[in-house]
Amino acid sequence: MFYESAIEYVITILITSMEIGLMVFFWYKAMGLKKHFKPVHLVLVSFLYGLIFGILFILQERAPWRAPLTLLISVFIAFIFFDKSIAEKLLNTVIGLIVLTFCGNLVQVIPSVFSTIPSLFDTLTGLILFYLIALPLESVLYLTILHIIKKGRLYLPPKYWIAAIISFSLISACYIMLLIFDVVPETKQQAVLFTAALLGLLLLWFVLYFAFYFVCCYYTKLNEMNLIAMQNEMLEKYVLQKQESDRMIRLLSHDLKHNLLQLKALAGENGDVDMITEYEDMMAMHSMLNVGNDIANAVINEKRRYALCNHIDFQVAGGFSGGLTITRIDFCSLLGNLLDNALEAAEQVEDRSLRKVSLKIGRKDHQLLLFLENDYAVEPELNSGAFISRKKNRGLHGIGTLSVNNIVEKYDGVIENTFHDHIFKSSLMLRCYE
């Protein structure tokens, strides 16, 4: 061992702290912090953990309990700071430690492959070289695993997603077990073959995963686009039927009002107007809203009727002005999906007095402004910033949210979603006025 000065100790601890920092950052991106913790807390804990790990690294054989203690500290940090299920915490902890051990031990084989490279533990330069190779390798593996956890989970079928995680773990675990049982290459030729085989397996795993991911991603998005097109086509047909139906209802309502005036006058002569007044109030409650656009009227009035049937307080303010450039299909899909999501969330609230949905419509120059607010009982679930459906068949659900995002992007718009204290707010701005 070369540890002969305080400077060498400090450099070793600092570099190992960086290595631990990479692993803790991986956990942070994979699991997220609990609400009452802040990133600065994690930075401090990561530094202390790195300090302990560096000291244990220096002790080496003098600390046979180094591996159990590292595992114990890792599990402790994962369970205290991060916000996932127990199974996910254990999985990500094990993956982080596997990458850390795997890269460190793999790089140690390199000196036996290249005779010009000194043993990585013989000199300070050798140790620095060790980490210059190990840290980038760890970073690539952590980023790939994060991609599998975040993006791969969205597009890969569950069994293939699990297979991607398990296959990497098996490659790493087999190599670590070989080291534990001292099955290491004895000659340069064996070292070359051993290292080449290991790196080849890693490269093969890497290529197969991303190739399969891009294929699944392509077909998933193609399927989503087909579903959106079918949904929009059905929605447009329905809205056209609703427009005609609403037009007939308005004509009948107009005629009925005149008839009610005559009935009320006759009832007044007999001193019995209570029944007529009650009927007028009921008609007023079920009267149709007019927001200045026939398509919007059809969609909003249909959703309003659904809200009344399910005891949801449905409020609409503002209206649309002339000069809208958004297509009929996109307009139907945008309003329909936004209101469907809001009503579905509000309907789950047990207390009927708290079931509320509010839509505000405005305009700023060429921009259409929509502000939607609703109560919710179940807090939305996020994955990589995207909302995840909690329904059993997720493949067929969540299409509405995807359709809204596509329409917002199509019209150079922005959408902002926030939720706090059982109130969900959506703010949209689209460039769709002349």
Side-chain angles (χ1 to χ4, degrees), residues 33-46:
L33 281 176
K34 289 182 178 178
K35 290 183 178 179
H36 48 279
F37 288 113
K38 296 181 179 179
V40 66
H41 298 144
L42 194 60
V43 171
L44 293 174
V45 171
S46 177

Side-chain angles (χ1 to χ4, degrees), residues 44 49 65 85 115 127 189 236 250 258 307 313 331 349 375 388:
L44 293 174
Y49 185 16
W65 33 265
S85 66
S115 56
L127 182 71
Q189 185 178 7
E236 185 183 22
R250 281 195 294 269
H258 291 290
D313 181 16
F331 200 24
V349 179
D375 293 270
I388 305 298

Side-chain angles (χ1 to χ4, degrees), residues 11-260:
I11 291 175
T12 302
I13 290 172
L14 286 176
I15 297 177
T16 51
S17 296
M18 292 172 59
E19 198 172 23
I20 291 297
L22 271 178
M23 183 172 67
V24 174
F25 179 75
F26 161 73
W27 291 340
Y28 168 67
K29 297 300 289 184
M31 296 184 281
L33 281 176
K34 289 182 178 178
K35 290 183 178 179
H36 48 279
F37 288 113
K38 296 181 179 179
V40 66
H41 298 144
L42 194 60
V43 171
L44 293 174
V45 171
S46 177
F47 176 77
L48 291 174
Y49 185 16
L51 182 64
I52 295 170
F53 186 80
I55 294 171
L56 293 174
F57 184 81
I58 291 171
L59 292 175
Q60 294 285 347
E61 288 82 5
R62 286 176 286 175
W65 33 265
R66 181 168 64 102
L69 182 60
T70 301
L71 177 61
L72 184 64
I73 294 173
S74 300
V75 171
F76 175 78
I77 291 175
F79 274 75
I80 295 298
F81 286 91
F82 299 113
D83 189 21
K84 285 290 183 180
S85 66
I86 293 176
E88 288 181 290
K89 288 177 181 178
L90 287 173
L91 175 65
N92 287 304
T93 301
V94 170
I95 289 174
L97 291 173
I98 284 176
V99 171
L100 184 68
T101 308
F102 176 74
C103 293
N105 288 308
L106 176 62
V107 174
Q108 289 185 54
V109 180
I110 293 177
S112 58
V113 178
F114 303 99
S115 56
T116 56
I117 299 179
S119 174
L120 294 184
F121 294 101
D122 290 343
T123 64
L124 180 59
T125 305
L127 182 71
I128 294 174
L129 178 62
F130 168 83
Y131 283 109
L132 285 176
I133 300 171
L135 288 175
L137 182 59
E138 288 173 19
S139 301
V140 170
L141 288 176
Y142 282 136
L143 289 173
T144 305
I145 298 293
L146 275 175
H147 189 280
I148 295 174
I149 292 172
K150 295 291 186 179
K151 298 291 185 180
R153 204 169 194 170
L154 293 175
Y155 296 106
L156 265 64
K159 60 181 179 181
Y160 295 110
W161 180 82
I162 294 171
I165 295 290
I166 292 177
S167 58
F168 169 74
S169 301
L170 284 175
I171 294 171
S172 305
C174 288
Y175 174 67
I176 293 169
M177 291 301 292
L178 289 174
L179 293 173
I180 291 174
F181 291 104
D182 292 328
V183 183
V184 294
E186 297 178 355
T187 65
K188 181 178 178 180
Q189 185 178 7
Q190 290 176 346
V192 171
L193 293 174
F194 184 78
T195 306
L198 198 57
L199 291 175
L201 280 174
L202 265 183
L203 183 61
L204 180 63
W205 171 80
F206 189 84
V207 171
L208 286 176
Y209 164 70
F210 278 103
F212 190 62
Y213 166 78
F214 285 119
V215 170
C216 289
C217 186
Y218 171 78
Y219 282 105
T220 300
K221 290 187 175 181
L222 185 64
N223 188 43
E224 287 173 349
M225 293 301 105
N226 290 334
L227 286 173
I228 290 173
M230 290 172 60
Q231 181 199 55
N232 290 343
E233 185 179 351
M234 293 172 62
L235 185 60
E236 185 183 22
K237 290 179 180 178
Y238 175 75
V239 168
L240 289 174
Q241 293 173 355
K242 279 293 301 169
Q243 282 183 280
E244 181 61 23
S245 174
D246 288 347
R247 188 182 68 83
M248 295 300 299
I249 291 173
R250 281 195 294 269
L251 290 174
L252 291 172
S253 178
H254 181 268
D255 294 339
L256 186 57
K257 285 179 182 179
H258 291 290
N259 293 334
L260 280 174

Side-chain angles (χ1 to χ4, degrees), residues 252-280 283:
L252 291 172
S253 178
H254 181 268
D255 294 339
L256 186 57
K257 285 179 182 179
H258 291 290
N259 293 334
L260 280 174
L261 288 174
Q262 296 177 4
L263 290 172
K264 191 173 183 179
L266 292 173
E269 295 177 1
N270 299 322
D272 185 16
V273 295
D274 292 343
M275 184 178 295
I276 302 297
T277 303
E278 182 181 346
Y279 193 72
E280 284 182 324
M283 281 190 61

